[in-house]
Amino acid sequence: MAESRNLSESNSSTPGKSLVVAVPFGGRSAEHDVSIVTALVAIIPPLRLLGHTVLPIYISKDGRWFSDPRLTNIKTYQNGTLETILETTRPLRLELDGTFSLISQKTRWKKAKKTVDLVFPALHGTYGEDGSLMGFLRMAGVPFVGCDLAASAVAMDKVLSKEVVRAAGLLTPESRAFSKVEWQTQPEKILESLKKLGFPLFVKPPHLGSSIGITRVEKASELGAAIDVALFYDDKCLVERAVANLTEVTVPVIGNDQLQVGLVERPLNSGEFFDFETKYLRGGKGGKKSAGASLSGASGATGATGTPGSQGYSELPAVLPDGSSKNGPRGLYQACELAAQAAYCAIGCAGIARVDLLVDGKAKKIYFNEINPLPGSLYAHNFAAAGMSNVDLVGRLVELALERAAAESQLERAFATSFLRQF
Amino acid sequence: MEPQFIKEAVLIDDTYNGNLEGVRAGVYFLQQLKKRGSFLAPSGEEIKINRVIFVTPGLVEQGPKQEKNNRAVGRAIGEVADVVVLMQNSVTGAIEQGLNDVGWSGELVISDNPLEFYENLSAMLARGDIMLMQNDWTDNYE
């Protein structure tokens, strides 16, 4: 364990106090495995280096909660140890007695209780990142890192988030949305409407992340199958017109009221579409191997300086089609930074989020694509490239969570009334 | 002093060095680097220096000068480091006093688990950081 503090009395940005931090990860989600990596790589080690006591909470695919020191070792998930833990360990119980406490039953008569000071969620996707966990933690009154319930729910609904940012004045690609029931009862009407959008189109399940279930459609005959894929994962479907002269970028942002932007990053992918396979399966291990290769001089796929991102190669910082970049002329690069911050604020994000933007390089227009309220591995590689280490990033997120909780505690939510006297 | 490049940061391994003059030489080297303002990455890119991070358990086998010499270590590294990481042991307090002697106001990290620190060392690094690891505290001094 480590203790971190600042020797200067005038600098109180580093709290210095050791907290008991619960880190829930895994979960009932298609992004279960991604969540394990986020927790084990980007959250738990920095928390320990900051001197905090970490309680890992693994949520199994069937929704049971477990805590065991072995759960912080990646090998546990590779060599069968996880299954042993799930079979032989009793799931956690929670005590909500004005605190948020975890009860682990060691034996029939012996139990251990740990009161949690802060929760650092690492649950991507459903029943976690979508606001489910945040709502529960709000009710329990425990501070937590990251976007709150409302922002998470909006961010994880691509249809709703588009409406919100559009109302805030940002551009989004033209689109149509419909439910599974509507598709089942009026498929011809929907297809006619979609053809009017023009091609190519992207067909998406609005509530999933990591590009799961997304299909690029070049012609009308491909629409039906793509919609069926999306509706296999979701009860709604979103169809968007593809942006022309496209450069895809992503921008991580941290902050509550005062925002700090990471670097505008451009994924370098072999295909035109940065899908789940490209993100996690083709790029993952290659990204690790290429860390040494990149630092020893090998460049990325397109000849630009490729940096191993969290999911493979990317151009970091991005050079936009107008030649603008972090240290060069500002142009589209600065516009992307501003658009990301505007989207972050419009949706009411706090802590951290990652904004994906679509840039039409010819028309010099920036379109909001989606916002991710819990970026994979916190996009720590991006902040590190911007000069902020993973440890500093996690430390800042803990501070932001505590600041928000302190502000919330000043609000009066429940008060005495005479309402019941009339009954 | 062997440099390695991790995440566009430089890690300098000087753990075989275990004396006060070695610490001062390391500090001098870092001061010169800081004056230069940047370092050349293997990719050929000139990277602007972000922070200087000094990692040390302190000096062993100093005999009656243990306290005095480690306080001198603190004073020396306080001249250049933005972040100081100390591996917790019997001389940590002396190094801290040395840092205070020169009015150092950077970030101090004290780790009681060197293995955990070294395994997760890259989590402490950002682009442009220079981390110098000096001296090793062998188990027989635990």
Side-chain angles (χ1 to χ4, degrees):
Chain A
M1 201 159 91
E3 170 201 341
S4 175
R5 57 189 153 92
N6 197 299
L7 282 193
S8 165
E9 286 177 7
S10 63
N11 185 340
S12 58
S13 63
T14 308
K17 184 183 167 222
S18 174
L19 303 172
V20 176
V21 183
V23 182
F25 57 97
R28 288 191 292 151
S29 159
E31 296 173 81
H32 177 103
D33 292 354
V34 178
S35 160
I36 293 171
V37 172
T38 293
L40 267 53
V41 172
I43 296 176
I44 291 174
L47 281 172
R48 286 187 172 144
L49 288 174
L50 284 165
H52 299 305
T53 300
V54 175
L55 297 180
I57 302 176
Y58 172 73
I59 301 178
S60 63
K61 290 181 181 176
D62 60 3
R64 291 176 295 155
W65 294 34
F66 297 89
S67 189
D68 184 291
R70 292 170 290 176
L71 291 166
T72 59
N73 188 334
I74 192 68
K75 292 198 181 341
T76 297
Y77 306 90
Q78 298 164 333
N79 62 11
T81 305
L82 175 66
E83 287 70 26
T84 304
I85 294 172
L86 299 189
E87 281 165 21
T88 58
T89 308
R90 292 176 200 226
L92 287 173
R93 287 183 288 128
L94 291 175
E95 198 160 286
L96 303 174
D97 55 350
T99 70
F100 183 85
S101 299
L102 303 176
I103 312 292
S104 53
Q105 197 77 31
K106 301 291 179 191
T107 65
R108 191 174 169 187
W109 299 275
K110 190 176 171 192
K111 63 182 183 181
K113 175 176 171 175
K114 274 276 188 190
T115 297
V116 173
D117 297 316
L118 178 87
V119 177
F120 201 129
L123 290 162
H124 296 298
T126 49
Y127 301 105
E129 188 182 7
D130 60 0
S132 306
L133 177 68
M134 295 75 193
F136 173 58
L137 296 176
R138 277 172 65 91
M139 287 187 67
V142 62
F144 59 91
V145 170
C147 293
D148 208 336
L149 161 66
S152 299
V154 171
M156 286 299 284
D157 185 327
K158 293 182 178 59
V159 176
L160 198 45
S161 58
K162 280 167 73 76
E163 296 297 327
V164 169
V165 300
R166 203 178 277 150
L170 290 161
L171 292 175
T172 74
E174 202 178 336
S175 61
R176 302 278 187 277
F178 49 91
S179 67
K180 186 180 278 187
V181 170
E182 286 174 310
W183 173 246
Q184 286 165 346
T185 54
Q186 308 171 70
E188 300 305 326
K189 186 177 169 191
I190 289 172
L191 287 172
E192 276 312 303
S193 165
L194 293 178
K195 284 174 198 169
K196 290 176 188 164
L197 283 175
F199 291 88
L201 295 169
F202 279 97
V203 180
K204 307 179 178 181
H207 296 104
L208 291 194
S210 297
S211 306
I212 294 169
I214 298 180
T215 312
R216 181 186 164 100
V217 166
E218 301 288 347
K219 50 192 183 214
S221 57
E222 295 170 357
L223 270 171
I227 292 170
D228 286 338
V229 167
L231 291 174
F232 178 78
Y233 293 104
D234 208 329
D235 56 6
K236 264 203 288 195
C237 183
L238 172 66
V239 182
E240 284 181 325
R241 185 159 64 192
V243 169
N245 313 301
L246 174 66
T247 298
E248 263 189 87
V249 297
T250 189
V251 188
V253 182
I254 60 173
N256 292 343
D257 304 305
Q258 305 291 324
L259 303 186
Q260 194 174 342
V261 181
L263 297 176
V264 178
E265 180 171 342
R266 181 168 77 92
L268 298 174
N269 38 294
S270 54
E272 279 192 51
F273 168 40
F274 205 47
D275 59 12
F276 183 91
E277 186 190 332
T278 312
K279 264 186 187 173
Y280 295 113
L281 303 180
R282 222 185 290 158
K285 286 188 180 176
K288 264 192 191 168
K289 277 189 208 159
S290 51
S294 143
L295 293 171
S296 64
S299 57
T302 62
T305 305
T307 304
S310 67
Q311 297 137 7
Y313 269 123
S314 56
E315 185 181 55
L316 182 63
V319 178
L320 278 295
D322 64 348
S324 61
S325 186
K326 172 75 178 165
N327 299 314
R330 299 301 277 148
L332 280 172
Y333 188 95
Q334 185 178 36
C336 287
E337 289 178 320
L338 293 172
Q341 290 175 81
Y344 188 96
C345 289
I347 288 177
C349 294
I352 185 170
R354 196 196 80 220
V355 183
D356 293 351
L357 302 169
L358 306 170
V359 181
D360 181 333
K362 200 169 171 186
K364 290 196 170 61
K365 284 185 175 169
I366 297 167
Y367 295 86
F368 169 84
N369 186 15
E370 60 181 79
I371 188 162
N372 185 329
L374 179 61
S377 297
L378 302 181
Y379 249 54
H381 73 281
N382 183 299
F383 286 103
M388 184 182 212
S389 69
N390 194 178
V391 167
D392 287 344
L393 172 62
V394 165
R396 182 68 188 129
L397 292 175
V398 168
E399 282 175 9
L400 289 168
L402 295 174
E403 281 171 19
R404 179 177 60 191
E408 280 266 326
S409 70
Q410 301 299 310
L411 300 174
E412 197 62 53
R413 300 281 193 198
F415 41 83
T417 74
S418 57
F419 179 74
L420 291 172
R421 287 195 202 141
Q422 63 188 298
F423 298 98
Chain B
M1 286 195 190
E2 276 188 50
Q4 292 177 56
F5 291 88
I6 300 175
K7 283 200 297 194
E8 300 175 312
V10 181
L11 176 65
I12 302 171
D13 184 352
D14 198 27
T15 50
Y16 285 98
N17 197 326
N19 58 65
L20 186 54
E21 287 314 306
V23 171
R24 289 182 173 137
V27 166
Y28 177 77
F29 172 68
L30 291 172
Q31 283 172 327
Q32 300 311 302
L33 265 182
K34 245 185 166 175
K35 268 187 208 162
R36 189 177 184 279
S38 63
F39 58 84
L40 186 65
S43 60
E45 188 188 357
E46 198 70 39
I47 295 180
K48 190 176 161 195
I49 290 174
N50 185 30
R51 302 174 299 173
V52 167
I53 305 172
F54 209 105
V55 182
T56 184
L59 300 177
V60 299
E61 290 184 332
Q62 303 296 298
K65 293 186 181 176
Q66 187 89 326
E67 180 94 3
K68 181 183 169 195
N69 284 357
N70 278 288
R71 193 161 174 169
V73 164
R75 286 197 292 269
I77 61 183
E79 297 294 336
V80 73
D82 300 298
V83 181
V84 172
V85 181
L86 301 178
M87 299 299 140
Q88 176 95 57
N89 54 49
S90 56
V91 304
T92 301
I95 301 175
E96 267 195 81
Q97 279 186 311
L99 290 168
N100 275 320
D101 286 345
V102 296
W104 186 72
S105 61
E107 186 188 341
L108 177 66
V109 178
I110 299 177
S111 173
D112 63 2
N113 189 336
L115 181 60
E116 181 178 76
F117 175 80
Y118 290 122
E119 280 180 346
N120 297 292
L121 187 150
S122 66
M124 283 216 64
L125 294 172
R127 177 182 158 97
D129 284 349
I130 302 177
M131 178 182 276
L132 174 66
M133 297 201 300
Q134 196 141 55
N135 199 23
D136 192 14
W137 191 272
T138 54
D139 290 347
N140 52 304
Y141 293 104
E142 292 292 329

